[in-house]
Amino acid sequence: VIYNFKMIIWLASYPKSGNTWVRQFLASLIYSNREKSGLDKLGFIMQYPKRDQFEKLVTDLNDFNQIKKNWINSQDLINSDNKVKIFKTHHVLYRLGEDIFTNQKNTLGAIYVVRDPRNVISSILYHFNLSCIEEALNFIKEEKKFIGNLKNKVNYPLHTLIGSWKTNYNSWKLIGKNFLLVRYEDLILNPNSEFRKIANYITSIINIRFTEEQIKKSIEESSFKNMSSLEDKNGFLEVIKDSENKKKKFFNLGPKNNWKEILDKKYVDEIENSFNDEMKELGYI
């Protein structure tokens, strides 16, 4: 099937859930014939919302009200070239008043990467320079949680309303159109079959075919071990910094992050109580 109209495939997730891993796989797979290599390939799959996507539409990039009023306008502009594209986002799929994050006209489908919140919490603690597990727990439970808008740079995402872990997941699973759910834990246990599932999803909705060799190579290129060593060797554009502005490793623990060894029982209980329905639905408890 060739889709001859404007559409976005969203690569969505709550932060620290494996989005960059899947993004690297897709960039490596779809743009294998392009000149960029290694982690630079991530640039082929841009983030949304980003400053340059709204510059022609708003007068103040720090004003969230102006941003939300222009979600659809910005996507209409992005899609005016009639090409299918993939965007990474951590945004909830919300309607705020009259403003909706995306619509059927602009959306071809969504891949949603989910991760056990008991493992997300320690990654959030590290990545966002939080002081303690309690702070990270409040972070993943907060419904009005924003990230982004950190620096006056094109690379940095704009105001991104991520909501709580469960709201983020619940909002995207209702997209109702070409939805693929990917569990981070399954990517670790069965990378070959899970990444093939993602490749088949892309093949099923856009007119593109991949060879077995391309898929195999992209799985290898996007492995945690490979991305971590590339970061050590060449740095990483989306590198994070600590409270003293020193660089921290982006690809930190990955598969070695194990809540059973890190979390006290009281935090495990609180997470399981707060997200009980969703964790059961996803097979985490």
Side-chain angles (χ1 to χ4, degrees):
V1 180
I2 298 176
Y3 282 92
N4 228 0
F5 42 89
K6 39 201 180 184
M7 285 288 178
I8 295 166
I9 297 171
W10 298 101
L11 174 56
S13 74
Y14 190 77
K16 310 316 296 171
S17 299
N19 194 307
T20 302
W21 188 7
V22 176
R23 185 178 165 209
Q24 177 69 15
F25 168 75
L26 286 171
S28 174
L29 186 65
I30 296 168
Y31 304 101
S32 57
N33 59 347
R34 300 286 185 92
E35 284 175 10
K36 286 183 181 176
S37 62
L39 296 175
D40 289 342
K41 274 211 172 112
L42 283 167
F44 288 123
I45 296 177
M46 305 298 265
Q47 298 198 53
Y48 183 92
K50 239 165 93 252
R51 306 182 84 82
D52 57 343
Q53 296 152 348
F54 287 80
E55 275 168 349
K56 294 175 182 167
L57 299 167
V58 304
T59 53
D60 182 2
L61 287 163
N62 296 312
D63 182 353
F64 177 65
N65 277 326
Q66 284 191 42
I67 300 302
K68 76 181 179 70
K69 280 182 171 50
N70 284 284
W71 284 330
I72 299 302
N73 293 335
S74 73
Q75 290 165 36
D76 286 343
L77 264 181
I78 286 163
N79 283 324
S80 59
D81 62 1
N82 276 353
K83 288 180 182 169
V84 173
K85 40 197 84 66
I86 301 172
F87 276 118
K88 166 196 170 163
T89 193
H90 293 309
H91 216 289
V92 287
L93 186 56
Y94 254 4
R95 177 183 286 280
L96 288 174
E98 293 176 10
D99 308 311
I100 191 161
F101 177 69
T102 190
N103 58 9
Q104 295 286 315
K105 181 180 138 197
N106 282 296
T107 295
L108 181 53
I111 301 168
Y112 190 83
V113 191
V114 71
R115 187 184 189 187
D116 189 327
R118 294 167 298 190
N119 276 333
V120 168
I121 195 165
S122 48
S123 288
I124 292 285
L125 177 71
Y126 171 83
H127 185 88
F128 290 98
N129 297 318
L130 305 181
S131 58
C132 60
I133 288 285
E134 272 100 345
E135 207 178 327
L137 191 58
N138 290 336
F139 186 111
I140 68 170
K141 285 166 66 179
E142 189 184 327
E143 293 301 346
K144 292 178 181 172
K145 188 71 192 169
F146 281 90
I147 59 169
N149 208 41
L150 302 175
K151 297 190 181 170
N152 203 11
K153 279 187 182 177
V154 169
N155 292 333
Y156 280 78
L158 272 180
H159 288 288
T160 301
L161 177 60
I162 61 170
S164 68
W165 176 87
K166 74 173 184 181
T167 296
N168 200 291
Y169 161 65
N170 284 328
S171 73
W172 279 99
K173 76 181 187 195
L174 297 174
I175 195 162
K177 189 179 185 184
N178 294 331
F179 179 69
L180 178 69
L181 179 68
V182 178
R183 292 194 333 160
Y184 179 92
E185 294 73 21
D186 295 334
L187 289 172
I188 291 170
L189 287 173
N190 307 302
N192 290 332
S193 63
E194 288 299 306
F195 280 115
R196 271 177 184 75
K197 198 191 287 180
I198 295 167
N200 290 339
Y201 167 87
I202 296 295
T203 296
S204 73
I205 58 173
I206 57 177
N207 192 30
I208 188 168
R209 298 287 175 269
F210 309 112
T211 65
E212 187 56 34
E213 191 49 44
Q214 280 177 302
I215 294 172
K216 201 174 157 196
K217 188 169 179 254
S218 298
I219 291 171
E220 284 164 12
E221 280 188 5
S222 60
S223 72
F224 183 84
K225 188 179 172 188
N226 187 51
M227 290 199 290
S228 183
S229 70
L230 284 170
E231 181 185 10
D232 289 341
K233 202 161 119 191
N234 307 319
F236 181 41
L237 189 64
E238 294 171 29
V239 72
I240 51 176
K241 293 185 177 177
D242 64 16
S243 51
E244 291 168 5
N245 214 29
K246 288 180 187 155
K247 287 181 182 177
K248 289 165 72 171
K249 197 125 160 76
F250 185 93
F251 301 103
N252 182 37
L253 287 176
K256 290 180 182 165
N257 182 357
N258 185 351
W259 63 268
K260 290 174 185 170
E261 294 168 11
I262 298 168
L263 280 189
D264 289 349
K265 187 177 181 303
K266 66 174 180 176
Y267 299 126
V268 173
D269 289 346
E270 188 163 349
I271 291 168
E272 290 176 1
N273 289 335
S274 299
F275 306 141
N276 191 269
D277 291 349
E278 292 76 20
M279 289 179 78
K280 278 183 178 161
E281 188 179 298
L282 290 160
Y284 289 138
I285 52 176

